[in-house]
Amino acid sequence: MTETKNGRFIGFERLKQSVTIEQVLERYGLLEHLHRSGDSLGGVCPLHGGHNATQFRVSVAKNCWVCFGDCHAGGSIVDFVSRKEGIGIREAGLLLQDWFNLNPDDDPKAASGKQIPRVPQTANVIPFTKTSNPPLRFTLGPLDGSHPYLRERGLTPETISEFGVGCCPHGTLRGWIAIPIHDREGKLIAYAGRYPGNPPDGLPKYRLPRGFRKSLELFNQHRAMAQSVSEPLVVVEGFFGAMHVWQAGHRRVVSLMGSMLSRAQEDRIVELAGDTGHVLLLFDEDEAGWKGRAEARERLSRRVSVSVARLEDGQQPDSLDADALLGLIARQAGEEVAA
């Protein structure tokens, strides 16, 4: 069940009086896709999709919504979040309470039936800038770390526990492997989802939450920065590559969460490497990996010592066992020292 960090539940009535449907739609990044007419909003239904731009209607004044299409449903902000996340009504209420930072102790008059002031329309739940992702105020759990897909990917129980990965039982990641992502301070900022196997046509392998800017982060950065700068900083593309390098015994590893290096990630890698440190690029041996590796090497080599570890065509870091990974890293580090 999703856990609230704002104490006891404030109740559905206060939620509906405190938060507007516009704020909920904006949080999902949906507001910009709806057209406005007076105090009404309309467009394609964000719950079941489709192409009919007249099926979904929102009444701003009444703070409610309705779908005339396949959903055949409607209701309050709580009902919308419940359907959008695939969770129960109470759990949706707890999510809203955390998202909009509503504290049951803030307004002692709430129970008296007096008007409760709404969250300002322009207020942010959590401070956010263009150079950061806000920490989450909820966690997904409990995640099933015994899912067979994790064993198929070669992860040990110790690694699964350390990274907190597991199959999600509810919400938008229900049935997917949820991978917690932390900022440099170790604060939880997002969950990535990995389909457990080859996804059906039309579904991606990975999901990231709307609004999350992965270009600002490095996966596993908070663990890597706790290691000695005398060890090379290994940079890989994917989540599982990072977990496998960590599992093999080399803990100073980060992932770009993709094949292309952003400027923010470049700056962070240089900072992590330090003035006398060394960066080892261990990318997938495919077209995207070759392109990303070449660009990353060119850019990083202007600012820090860089070398490349190459695999066989088609391989990726988690294709190798622990001994092969450690041997590859050690050999490359040794060649750099000799050079």
Side-chain angles (χ1 to χ4, degrees), residues 183-217:
D183 65 13
R184 59 192 297 169
E185 297 176 354
K187 296 177 181 176
L188 179 66
I189 53 177
Y191 287 93
R194 204 319 180 166
Y195 189 86
N198 294 319
D201 290 344
L203 276 184
K205 286 184 178 180
Y206 285 94
R207 283 178 176 172
L208 287 170
R210 182 182 293 274
F212 174 71
R213 301 181 66 188
K214 72 174 184 177
S215 62
L216 300 178
E217 312 295 344

Side-chain angles (χ1 to χ4, degrees), residues 44-333:
V44 173
C45 180
L47 298 175
H48 79 268
H51 303 285
N52 190 329
T54 65
Q55 290 180 334
F56 186 71
R57 286 287 182 269
V58 172
S59 171
V60 175
K62 296 180 180 179
N63 209 31
C64 62
W65 62 276
V66 64
C67 173
F68 297 104
D70 292 349
C71 291
H72 296 294
S76 69
I77 56 171
V78 182
D79 299 305
F80 184 85
V81 172
S82 173
R83 283 183 169 266
K84 184 68 174 171
E85 299 292 331
I87 55 180
I89 292 294
R90 181 173 174 81
E91 190 169 9
L94 293 174
L95 271 181
L96 283 162
Q97 180 173 327
D98 278 333
W99 286 350
F100 293 93
N101 204 22
L102 298 173
N103 192 313
D105 299 320
D106 284 348
D107 191 350
K109 296 181 180 179
S112 68
K114 296 183 179 181
Q115 183 64 34
I116 302 169
R118 287 192 172 182
V119 176
Q121 191 69 27
T122 57
N124 288 324
V125 181
I126 304 169
F128 173 78
T129 70
K130 292 182 179 179
T131 57
S132 69
N133 286 295
L136 293 184
R137 289 189 174 273
F138 66 91
T139 60
L140 297 177
L143 300 178
D144 180 11
S146 65
H147 194 282
Y149 179 75
L150 298 173
R151 302 297 193 279
E152 291 172 14
R153 294 300 299 263
L155 298 184
T156 65
E158 292 76 20
T159 301
I160 292 169
S161 176
E162 173 66 27
F163 285 86
V165 298
C167 186
C168 186
H170 53 242
T172 56
L173 292 183
R174 180 168 51 188
W176 289 53
I177 302 298
I179 305 171
I181 303 173
H182 302 82
D183 65 13
R184 59 192 297 169
E185 297 176 354
K187 296 177 181 176
L188 179 66
I189 53 177
Y191 287 93
R194 204 319 180 166
Y195 189 86
N198 294 319
D201 290 344
L203 276 184
K205 286 184 178 180
Y206 285 94
R207 283 178 176 172
L208 287 170
R210 182 182 293 274
F212 174 71
R213 301 181 66 188
K214 72 174 184 177
S215 62
L216 300 178
E217 312 295 344
L218 294 169
F219 176 67
N220 199 49
Q221 59 186 323
H222 65 300
R223 296 184 185 90
M225 66 187 297
Q227 307 302 313
S228 171
V229 294
S230 64
E231 300 178 25
L233 177 65
V234 176
V235 179
V236 300
E237 293 182 44
F239 299 104
F240 284 89
M243 288 187 278
H244 268 270
V245 172
W246 187 94
Q247 180 173 283
H250 189 90
R251 307 298 169 84
R252 195 161 155 77
V253 57
V254 294
S255 160
L256 300 181
M257 298 179 282
S259 59
M260 301 308 294
L261 176 71
S262 72
R263 179 55 191 269
Q265 290 173 328
E266 176 187 336
D267 291 342
R268 184 71 181 119
I269 288 171
V270 171
E271 181 184 353
L272 278 172
D275 295 336
T276 59
H278 180 72
V279 175
L280 176 61
L281 303 179
L282 183 56
F283 282 32
D284 299 353
E285 291 294 341
D286 55 24
E287 188 171 350
W290 300 330
K291 181 179 179 181
R293 181 175 65 198
E295 181 176 328
R297 183 179 191 179
E298 179 182 359
R299 288 164 52 189
L300 287 169
S301 62
R302 301 168 187 164
R303 308 175 64 185
V304 69
S305 172
V306 179
S307 62
V308 168
R310 289 182 169 83
L311 307 172
E312 296 182 7
D313 284 358
Q315 282 191 329
Q316 51 193 31
D318 51 304
S319 302
L320 306 182
D321 61 27
D323 290 340
L325 269 175
L326 289 180
L328 181 63
I329 294 170
R331 284 195 303 275
Q332 193 59 53

